[in-house]
Coordinates of all heavy atoms in Angstrom, one line a residue:
Q238 N 3.4 -1.6 -26.9 CA 3.1 -2.7 -27.8 C 3.3 -2.3 -29.2 O 3.9 -3.1 -30.0 CB 1.6 -3.1 -27.6 CG 1.1 -4.1 -28.5 CD -0.4 -4.5 -28.2 OE1 -0.7 -5.6 -27.9 NE2 -1.3 -3.5 -28.4
G239 N 2.9 -1.1 -29.6 CA 3.2 -0.6 -31.0 C 4.6 -0.6 -31.3 O 5.0 -1.0 -32.4
R240 N 5.4 -0.2 -30.4 CA 6.9 -0.1 -30.6 C 7.5 -1.5 -30.8 O 8.3 -1.7 -31.7 CB 7.6 0.6 -29.5 CG 7.3 2.1 -29.5 CD 7.7 2.8 -28.2 NE 9.1 2.5 -27.9 CZ 9.7 2.7 -26.7 NH1 9.0 3.3 -25.8 NH2 11.0 2.4 -26.5
M241 N 7.0 -2.5 -30.0 CA 7.5 -3.8 -30.1 C 7.1 -4.5 -31.4 O 7.7 -5.5 -31.8 CB 7.1 -4.6 -28.8 CG 7.9 -4.2 -27.6 SD 7.6 -5.2 -26.2 CE 8.4 -6.8 -26.7
F242 N 5.9 -4.1 -31.9 CA 5.5 -4.7 -33.2 C 6.4 -4.4 -34.3 O 6.3 -5.0 -35.4 CB 4.1 -4.3 -33.5 CG 3.0 -5.1 -32.8 CD1 1.8 -4.4 -32.4 CD2 3.1 -6.4 -32.6 CE1 0.8 -5.2 -31.8 CE2 2.1 -7.1 -31.9 CZ 1.0 -6.5 -31.5
H243 N 7.3 -3.4 -34.2 CA 8.2 -3.0 -35.2 C 9.5 -3.8 -35.2 O 10.3 -3.7 -36.0 CB 8.6 -1.5 -35.1 CG 7.5 -0.6 -35.6 ND1 6.4 -0.2 -34.8 CD2 7.2 -0.1 -36.8 CE1 5.6 0.6 -35.5 NE2 6.1 0.7 -36.7
T244 N 9.6 -4.7 -34.2 CA 10.7 -5.6 -34.1 C 10.4 -6.9 -34.8 O 9.2 -7.3 -34.9 CB 11.1 -5.9 -32.6 OG1 10.0 -6.6 -32.0 CG2 11.3 -4.5 -31.8
G245 N 11.4 -7.6 -35.2 CA 11.2 -8.9 -35.9 C 10.5 -9.9 -35.0 O 9.6 -10.6 -35.4
W246 N 10.9 -9.9 -33.7 CA 10.3 -10.9 -32.8 C 8.9 -10.5 -32.5 O 8.0 -11.3 -32.4 CB 11.1 -10.8 -31.4 CG 10.6 -11.8 -30.4 CD1 10.9 -13.2 -30.4 CD2 9.7 -11.6 -29.3 NE1 10.3 -13.8 -29.3 CE2 9.5 -12.8 -28.7 CE3 9.1 -10.4 -28.8 CZ2 8.7 -12.9 -27.5 CZ3 8.3 -10.6 -27.7 CH2 8.1 -11.8 -27.1
G247 N 8.6 -9.2 -32.4 CA 7.2 -8.8 -32.1 C 6.3 -9.0 -33.2 O 5.1 -9.2 -32.9
Q248 N 6.7 -9.0 -34.4 CA 5.8 -9.2 -35.6 C 5.2 -10.6 -35.6 O 4.1 -10.7 -36.1 CB 6.6 -8.9 -36.9 CG 6.9 -7.5 -37.1 CD 7.7 -7.3 -38.4 OE1 7.9 -8.2 -39.2 NE2 8.1 -6.0 -38.6
A249 N 5.8 -11.5 -34.9 CA 5.2 -12.8 -34.8 C 4.0 -12.9 -33.9 O 3.2 -13.9 -34.0 CB 6.3 -13.8 -34.3
F250 N 3.8 -11.8 -33.2 CA 2.6 -11.8 -32.2 C 1.6 -10.8 -32.7 O 0.7 -10.3 -31.9 CB 3.1 -11.4 -30.8 CG 3.9 -12.5 -30.1 CD1 5.2 -12.6 -30.3 CD2 3.2 -13.4 -29.3 CE1 6.0 -13.5 -29.7 CE2 3.9 -14.4 -28.7 CZ 5.3 -14.5 -28.8
L251 N 1.6 -10.4 -34.0 CA 0.6 -9.4 -34.5 C -0.8 -9.9 -34.3 O -1.7 -9.0 -34.0 CB 0.9 -9.1 -36.0 CG 2.0 -8.2 -36.3 CD1 2.3 -8.2 -37.8 CD2 1.7 -6.8 -35.8
R252 N -1.1 -11.2 -34.3 CA -2.4 -11.7 -34.1 C -2.9 -11.6 -32.7 O -4.0 -11.9 -32.4 CB -2.5 -13.1 -34.7 CG -2.3 -13.2 -36.2 CD -2.5 -14.6 -36.6 NE -3.8 -15.1 -36.4 CZ -4.2 -16.4 -36.7 NH1 -3.3 -17.2 -37.3 NH2 -5.4 -16.8 -36.5
N253 N -1.9 -11.3 -31.8 CA -2.2 -11.3 -30.4 C -2.3 -9.8 -29.8 O -2.2 -9.6 -28.7 CB -1.1 -12.0 -29.6 CG -1.1 -13.5 -29.9 OD1 -0.1 -13.9 -30.6 ND2 -2.0 -14.3 -29.5
V254 N -2.6 -8.9 -30.8 CA -2.7 -7.5 -30.4 C -3.8 -7.4 -29.3 O -4.8 -8.0 -29.3 CB -3.0 -6.6 -31.6 CG1 -4.3 -7.0 -32.2 CG2 -3.0 -5.2 -31.2
S255 N -3.5 -6.5 -28.3 CA -4.4 -6.4 -27.2 C -4.3 -5.0 -26.7 O -3.3 -4.3 -26.7 CB -4.0 -7.4 -26.1 OG -4.8 -7.1 -24.9
F256 N -5.4 -4.5 -26.2 CA -5.5 -3.1 -25.5 C -6.0 -3.3 -24.1 O -6.9 -2.7 -23.6 CB -6.4 -2.2 -26.3 CG -5.8 -1.9 -27.7 CD1 -6.3 -2.6 -28.8 CD2 -4.8 -0.9 -27.8 CE1 -5.7 -2.3 -30.0 CE2 -4.3 -0.7 -29.1 CZ -4.8 -1.4 -30.2
T257 N -5.3 -4.2 -23.4 CA -5.8 -4.6 -22.1 C -5.3 -3.6 -21.0 O -4.3 -3.1 -21.1 CB -5.2 -6.0 -21.7 OG1 -5.5 -6.4 -20.4 CG2 -3.6 -6.0 -21.8
P258 N -6.2 -3.4 -20.0 CA -5.8 -2.6 -18.9 C -5.0 -3.3 -17.8 O -4.5 -2.8 -16.8 CB -7.1 -2.0 -18.3 CG -8.1 -3.1 -18.6 CD -7.6 -3.7 -19.9
Q259 N -5.0 -4.7 -18.0 CA -4.2 -5.5 -17.0 C -3.2 -6.4 -17.7 O -3.4 -6.8 -18.9 CB -5.2 -6.5 -16.3 CG -6.0 -5.8 -15.1 CD -7.3 -5.3 -15.6 OE1 -7.9 -5.9 -16.5 NE2 -7.8 -4.2 -14.9
A260 N -2.1 -6.7 -17.0 CA -1.1 -7.5 -17.6 C -1.4 -9.0 -17.4 O -0.6 -9.8 -17.9 CB 0.3 -7.2 -16.8
H261 N -2.5 -9.3 -16.7 CA -2.8 -10.7 -16.5 C -1.6 -11.4 -15.7 O -1.4 -12.6 -15.9 CB -3.1 -11.5 -17.7 CG -4.5 -11.1 -18.3 ND1 -4.6 -9.9 -19.0 CD2 -5.7 -11.7 -18.3 CE1 -5.9 -9.8 -19.3 NE2 -6.6 -10.8 -18.9
N262 N -1.0 -10.6 -14.9 CA 0.0 -11.1 -13.9 C 0.1 -9.9 -12.9 O 0.8 -8.9 -13.2 CB 1.3 -11.4 -14.6 CG 2.4 -12.0 -13.5 OD1 2.6 -11.4 -12.5 ND2 3.0 -13.1 -13.9

Side-chain angles (χ1 to χ4, degrees):
Q238 176 177 241
R240 289 167 54 190
M241 289 188 65
F242 276 146
H243 286 85
T244 66
W246 184 81
Q248 289 179 5
F250 289 88
L251 282 171
R252 297 182 63 182
N253 299 105
V254 61
S255 172
F256 295 96
T257 176
Q259 280 93 32
H261 289 76
N262 182 312

